[in-house]
Amino acid sequence: MASTHYYMNLALTTQEASSCTRRHVGCIIINEGRVVSTGYNFHPRKCDNDDVCLRRMLADDRGEPVKSNTSLEEGACIHAEMNALLFADYKDIVGSKVFVTHPPCPMCTRLLIQGQVKEVHYIGSLDPSCRHLIDFLLPSTRFHRWGIQDGVPRWISLYVPASYQD
């Protein structure tokens, strides 16, 4: 069976398919040692032009691109985790491991927990709202933090919900 480093490197390779001008995110779902789905951040299907950034199309009155964490921006892009979940069979999601190149947002965190994913491996730091969500829900899903050191993905720590830190 391949190592977790191998899977994180696959997620890093998957992010190269993203055409987002702001952030490339890749995600893979592994179950029983095999890749069952991949995803990357992208705009919804059936858009007329694959090269158009929806954040720029939804510019404000001054022509400035929509800022991050706004409802318009959140509605414009399908996240890598969402794409990977959409293209997987549910039976392959339950008990799986997910490797994603950035920390999941609150919505993706809820989807991963609801899908009964066993482990989520991500690069970076969880947003405080995600930590609060995990602390509140106390899911069986485990969240593993990774970093990049000398160009190589390295495991850092397991997130432990606040109520377990006694």
Side-chain angles (χ1 to χ4, degrees):
M1 187 178 295
S3 74
T4 54
H5 289 88
Y6 172 76
Y7 296 135
M8 186 58 79
N9 280 313
L10 280 178
L12 288 164
T13 300
T14 301
Q15 77 180 357
E16 295 172 13
S18 171
S19 65
C20 181
T21 57
R22 189 173 132 251
R23 178 182 297 154
H24 293 233
V25 182
C27 178
I28 64 168
I29 300 175
I30 305 296
N31 199 335
E32 297 183 8
R34 66 181 182 90
V35 177
V36 296
S37 188
T38 64
Y40 51 89
N41 57 326
F42 202 66
H43 52 77
R45 287 184 178 187
K46 304 289 185 189
C47 290
D48 292 336
N49 186 345
D50 288 347
D51 298 322
V52 173
C53 175
L54 292 176
R55 290 179 70 235
R56 282 195 220 129
M57 287 176 54
L58 300 171
D60 65 16
D61 295 340
R62 299 181 313 263
E64 295 292 321
V66 174
K67 301 293 187 262
S68 186
N69 297 325
T70 62
S71 59
L72 287 176
E73 191 268 344
E74 290 295 323
C77 182
I78 306 297
H79 292 191
E81 303 94 324
M82 293 176 185
N83 262 330
L85 289 168
L86 284 168
F87 288 100
D89 287 333
Y90 183 71
K91 65 178 176 44
D92 290 331
I93 297 171
V94 175
S96 67
K97 296 179 181 181
V98 169
F99 291 80
V100 63
T101 59
H102 288 78
C105 72
M107 177 58 74
C108 289
T109 298
R110 288 190 293 273
L111 290 172
L112 293 165
I113 291 168
Q114 180 66 19
Q116 301 178 50
V117 169
K118 179 180 175 183
E119 296 179 8
V120 178
H121 296 258
Y122 59 92
I123 297 173
S125 296
L126 281 175
D127 181 90
S129 59
C130 287
R131 290 194 303 270
H132 295 308
L133 184 64
I134 295 165
D135 290 346
F136 176 73
L137 294 175
L138 296 174
S140 59
T141 304
R142 294 177 292 182
F143 290 80
H144 295 265
R145 181 176 177 212
W146 288 61
I148 301 288
Q149 185 178 38
D150 298 325
V152 178
R154 301 273 186 231
W155 183 85
I156 296 175
S157 63
L158 174 67
Y159 178 76
V160 179
S163 62
Y164 293 157
Q165 296 178 11
D166 296 330

